[in-house]
Amino acid sequence: MSIEQMAKDFTQAVAEDRAEDYQAYWADDIVSLEPNDGPMSRCEGREALQEKHAWWNNNAEVHSASADGPYVFGDQFAVNYEMDVTMDGERNQMKEIGLYTVRDGKIAEERFLYGQQ
């Protein structure tokens, strides 16, 4: 499968919140990076990333979300995310870019870049 098709399928699965489908694209040794300090700023491996997603699902009330893209270049693709979410009793509009690096047909790294609020 081409990276263009993989990125398109992955982005659609994320937009439709089909976790089993988008998680199938993760490499077993995937690395997830967030630009903040804390226990979820760097997760290594499929199990750690599943725990990160479980933490998010238990702590965030998502009112709406969108995923725009993908934008492919070489072995990477980017997705623009926007969310209306309540965390810790505070409702926020979030914007971020997910930058994904593909190796051997799987996502080996995801790196998130946050927009200014």
Side-chain angles (χ1 to χ4, degrees):
M1 172 184 307
S2 70
I3 190 171
E4 291 82 4
Q5 187 62 53
M6 176 192 173
K8 181 180 175 184
D9 293 348
F10 173 84
T11 302
Q12 185 172 357
V14 169
E16 295 173 0
D17 197 26
R18 293 185 282 118
E20 188 173 309
D21 291 341
Y22 66 73
Q23 289 178 11
Y25 291 103
W26 295 349
D28 289 339
D29 60 348
I30 188 170
V31 175
S32 178
L33 303 165
E34 300 274 351
N36 55 19
D37 294 326
M40 301 294 172
S41 63
R42 182 181 180 93
C43 294
E44 297 184 36
R46 177 181 288 277
E47 186 176 321
L49 193 49
Q50 287 171 330
E51 290 173 10
K52 176 183 174 181
H53 280 248
W55 175 88
W56 172 262
N57 290 333
N58 290 330
N59 290 283
E61 179 184 357
V62 179
H63 306 287
S64 66
S66 67
D68 182 48
Y71 306 94
V72 179
F73 183 80
D75 65 350
Q76 295 182 308
F77 67 94
V79 178
N80 181 34
Y81 297 106
E82 292 190 28
M83 291 175 271
D84 177 10
V85 62
T86 299
M87 284 190 85
D88 300 324
E90 189 172 325
R91 192 165 179 170
N92 290 298
Q93 306 299 310
M94 298 173 61
K95 294 181 181 183
E96 67 183 3
I97 300 292
L99 178 62
Y100 301 91
T101 302
V102 176
R103 182 183 69 234
D104 299 325
K106 296 285 187 174
I107 297 172
E109 181 184 277
E110 62 176 21
R111 183 179 298 252
F112 294 97
L113 312 161
Y114 299 155
Q116 297 296 317
Q117 304 300 324

